[in-house]
Structure formats: C-alpha cells, structure tokens
Amino acid sequence: MSQPETTLWELEPHTEAKHIILRNYLRAWFPIMGQYNSRILFLDGYSGPGQYDNGEDGSPIIAIKEAMQYLDSCDKRISNKPEIAEIVMIFIEENTERAIHLQERIDSMEIHKKINVQVVNSNFEDTANDILQELEKSKAQLAPAFLFVDPFGYNLSFELIQKLMDNPKCEVFINFMYEFINRFIRRIGQEAVMTKLFGNEDWKQLDLDCQPEERRELIHGLYQQQLIDNTAKYVRSFEMKGKRNSTKYFLFYGTNHKKGLLKMKDAMWSVDTGGTYTFSDATNPLQGVLFGNEPNYEYLKDLLLLEFKGKTATIEEIEDYVLCSTPFRTTHIKLPILKPMEQNQELRILTDRKRRWTYPAGTIIEIF
C-alpha cells in the first residue's frame, strides 16, 4: 500500500497475515534467544503508530506482548539456568504524530521491568547508522537482534542491511515492496535509489521485457541472491498479494542459524498451509478460505528423488536438505513421504530399528 496520510489507517488482510507470521516467529524467537543471551534486541525500523483504525495491534505492540508473554513464563518457571537480564525494544517512526501515538499506547501498558522500550522519532537509516557508529566507537557488537524492516516504499539501503547483518547473531525480516519496485525500476531518475536498494548495479542488467511472472522472478531472484551472498546463509521469502491477486510485496527473512530458519518456516506455514509461501487478499485464509489446503507432497517427493535417488543418506541429511533447500518443513518427510516410499519398495532401510515405518535418529536410507 502507499504511504497513508492519516495517523491511523485500516488494517488490510495481507498486513494481518504478515503480523501472524511476525507474532508466531517471535513466540519462538524470544525463548530461544533468551535461553543463551542475557540481553537481546528487537528493532522495528518503520514502526508506525502501533495501532490500526479499529484498534488492532500494530507490530510494536505485537512484539511487546510476545516479549512480556515470554518473560511472564520465565517468572513462573523454576530453573537454575541464568535468566535474561534485558530485552531492548527500539521502535523507529519518522512521522511525529504516529511516534507520539505509539508512545502513548505503550505508556498505557504495564510493561515488564526487564523490557527497555525506546520510541525514536526519526528515520530508520539515520538511527541504525547512529547505533552502528556507537558500537564501533565502543568496539562492541550488536546484541543478538531481530530487525523488522517494513517500509512503505523502497528507499532502503542494502549496504545498511549488510552492515547490521555483519553482527553474527542478527536476523532480518524485510518488506521488499515489489509492486512499486516493478513499476519504477526503469523510470528515469530512479537509478540511484535502485542501486541503493539492490546494493549494486546488477539490476540494470535484468532483461525485463518478458512476461509478468518471469519479470517477478528476475527482480525477486536478484534481491534474494544479494541477501544470500552478502548478509545471511539462509534466506526465505513469502509473497503477499492484493485484492486483484497481483504481487504487492515479498517478505524476506535472513538468518545464519538453522533453528531460526526452522521456526520462520513454521511461522510462514501457519499462514499458507499449502506451502506455496503466498498469501492473497483475493483468497483470504483469515476469512476461512485457505489459499492452499495441504502441502504438495508429490512435489516434495520429486525434490527428494532429484537430490537423493541412487544414493544413501542419513535421515539427518534428508531433513537438513528439506529444511535448507526446499519450502517444506521437516515434519513433512517421514509419514507422508518416506513411509509410502518404503511400502512401495522405492527405498530401503540399512540400519536396525524397533518399529517398521519409523525413521529414528541415525537411520540410513538407500533411495532407489
């Protein structure tokens, strides 16, 4: 959507779907990161007012509530493990009226004492650069962080994302505004901002005189490859479509940790159960109509055969491949795929096991 002119605006279905992904991921992220770190950071680069026209929570309030839920569970749990000392939450909003509304909304909440909330009335680029400069001066690293970068437009610095992701425990969730990028990528006067967005001038080499689907894949593919080459080992995207079923934007997630990838895929599957990693306002599952009813197991089987046919592999190697190189979840492998394949004598188990049709840790499988 274009930049709203009002302080609050209507919550659109695709935005609600985006918030479901964010909420479900943070519900896993806070406990995982809090288990191993005394201080963690959630940064929302384009936070908005924290509320929509009908009172629905915006991303800052969603994040605060998930952090409080995690800390409340920690308070109730008896454990000898070190407790997290602080969750820093930085919400950046350039529009003054929206920043004030967000601060008022936060002030009305009873915030857990371990949550340090900062509302910054500025822009994402300046604030993030200030943070990086302070870290450089003090020769410190960014705390383990989840960066939610959700702009209305596409004036976004790839170099800045790259610098933030140089910190080893940093993850990023970016709204790549494809609808606007596709519209303006060839417009005279947009060269500098496109080079800033993609991080180099490779976008100029794209042959975009093609069908819309191919054009979308070229633009999406270039940005994804840039993220993989320069920011994160594992990158996954989710396509959001509008009421006319045309692509509005892609959500790109980048991490260097497999557990993060696992949890983000779980969060994305909670919105699209068919595994196409797509949500469309034209077929809104939040209103009871699923875009995809179930995973395409035949496609997953084809991918496994393409990778492992004629080979021997452990169950761990197969699960790792599915996690890192396919859209599917590791829970989609055993009963839906391996069991029928074994029954049809398309594979053979080379290790002992207690029960048939099970594939415990260490299982070695030969796929014909």
Side-chain angles (χ1 to χ4, degrees):
M1 64 180 291
S2 58
Q3 173 78 263
E5 296 181 358
T6 55
T7 301
L8 303 182
W9 56 91
E10 182 182 353
L11 175 65
E12 296 187 270
H14 60 81
T15 302
E16 187 176 359
K18 174 173 59 182
H19 287 168
I20 290 174
I21 295 173
L22 177 66
R23 180 184 291 110
N24 288 345
Y25 183 73
L26 291 179
R27 193 163 292 175
W29 185 79
F30 282 120
I32 291 171
M33 302 309 293
Q35 185 177 0
Y36 302 106
N37 303 280
S38 62
R39 185 172 181 265
I40 57 178
L41 167 66
F42 175 87
L43 187 149
D44 190 337
Y46 300 82
S47 62
Q51 189 176 15
Y52 290 88
D53 261 345
N54 294 320
E56 303 96 337
D57 290 338
S59 56
I61 308 304
I62 289 170
I64 289 173
K65 287 183 176 179
E66 289 303 321
M68 289 201 296
Q69 180 174 305
Y70 160 63
L71 291 172
D72 287 343
S73 69
C74 291
D75 293 341
K76 295 173 184 176
R77 187 170 60 240
I78 300 174
S79 175
N80 293 325
K81 294 182 180 179
E83 291 186 357
I84 188 167
E86 184 181 37
I87 298 178
V88 178
M89 311 194 81
I90 300 176
F91 302 114
I92 306 167
E93 174 52 48
E94 189 170 11
N95 181 285
T96 301
E97 290 184 0
R98 293 172 191 161
I100 291 171
H101 189 94
L102 175 58
Q103 186 65 66
E104 291 174 347
R105 179 75 177 86
I106 292 170
D107 289 343
S108 71
M109 304 171 68
E110 292 185 14
I111 306 294
H112 195 285
K113 62 183 180 181
K114 290 186 178 180
I115 298 178
N116 175 0
V117 178
Q118 303 170 31
V119 176
V120 182
N121 183 199
S122 183
N123 65 71
F124 168 64
E125 190 165 342
D126 288 346
T127 305
N129 277 318
D130 287 345
I131 292 171
L132 290 171
Q133 287 173 11
E134 286 299 318
L135 290 171
E136 188 176 354
K137 285 180 184 178
S138 59
K139 297 183 179 180
Q141 281 192 331
L142 192 68
F146 184 84
L147 310 177
F148 184 42
V149 185
D150 187 19
F152 283 108
Y154 54 90
N155 186 17
L156 181 65
S157 169
F158 188 88
E159 182 182 4
L160 177 57
I161 298 297
Q162 186 176 357
K163 287 179 180 178
L164 289 165
M165 288 296 290
D166 281 343
N167 294 276
K169 293 185 179 180
C170 190
E171 298 182 349
V172 67
F173 196 35
I174 301 172
N175 183 342
F176 181 76
M177 295 295 288
Y178 175 79
E179 183 178 37
F180 295 134
I181 296 164
N182 179 52
R183 186 186 306 169
F184 297 117
I185 192 167
R186 284 186 162 181
R187 179 169 293 188
I188 295 173
Q190 294 295 299
E191 295 86 357
V193 72
M194 289 297 169
T195 298
K196 178 181 176 182
L197 173 69
F198 286 99
N200 58 31
E201 295 190 343
D202 288 358
W203 64 272
K204 294 181 179 180
Q205 308 305 317
L206 296 177
D207 182 4
L208 299 179
D209 293 323
C210 52
Q211 294 298 314
E213 294 80 7
E214 185 180 353
R215 184 179 173 113
R216 184 176 66 246
E217 289 304 312
L218 288 170
I219 294 172
H220 167 278
L222 176 59
Y223 194 74
Q224 178 169 277
Q225 196 59 50
Q226 277 290 90
L227 290 173
I228 293 171
D229 291 344
N230 299 287
T231 68
K233 187 174 181 180
Y234 307 109
V235 175
R236 177 60 55 190
S237 69
F238 196 100
E239 183 180 10
M240 290 292 187
K241 295 185 176 183
K243 292 179 181 178
R244 297 180 180 179
N245 212 31
S246 60
T247 305
K248 294 187 74 68
Y249 56 86
F250 290 96
L251 296 172
F252 279 99
Y253 167 74
T255 183
N256 290 303
H257 304 282
K258 288 182 182 178
K259 184 173 283 189
L261 176 63
L262 174 69
K263 297 302 181 182
M264 180 54 79
K265 288 177 78 171
D266 288 346
M268 289 180 171
W269 272 85
S270 70
V271 171
D272 177 21
T273 58
T276 60
Y277 285 59
T278 305
F279 176 88
S280 173
D281 289 356
T283 52
N284 179 4
L286 301 175
Q287 296 177 345
V289 182
L290 291 176
F291 189 84
N293 290 315
E294 63 178 23
N296 186 342
Y297 290 122
E298 283 300 315
Y299 178 47
L300 175 56
K301 180 181 176 181
D302 289 344
L303 292 175
L304 290 177
L305 288 173
L306 191 64
E307 180 69 16
F308 295 105
K309 187 173 183 179
K311 300 178 184 178
T312 297
T314 64
I315 186 63
E316 288 82 5
E317 289 171 331
I318 294 172
E319 288 176 335
D320 190 71
Y321 167 75
V322 169
L323 172 63
C324 300
S325 303
T326 81
F328 294 90
R329 301 163 73 181
T330 54
T331 54
H332 294 143
I333 302 170
K334 294 181 180 180
L335 291 180
I337 304 295
L338 296 183
K339 180 180 176 180
M341 287 183 68
E342 185 178 3
Q343 290 172 329
N344 294 330
Q345 298 183 345
E346 296 175 90
L347 61 80
R348 179 172 59 186
I349 306 302
L350 303 180
T351 47
D352 294 331
R353 57 186 173 179
K354 294 181 179 179
R355 291 188 296 122
R356 296 177 71 190
W357 324 128
T358 62
Y359 311 93
T363 300
I364 299 175
I365 303 170
E366 181 182 5
I367 298 179
F368 306 136

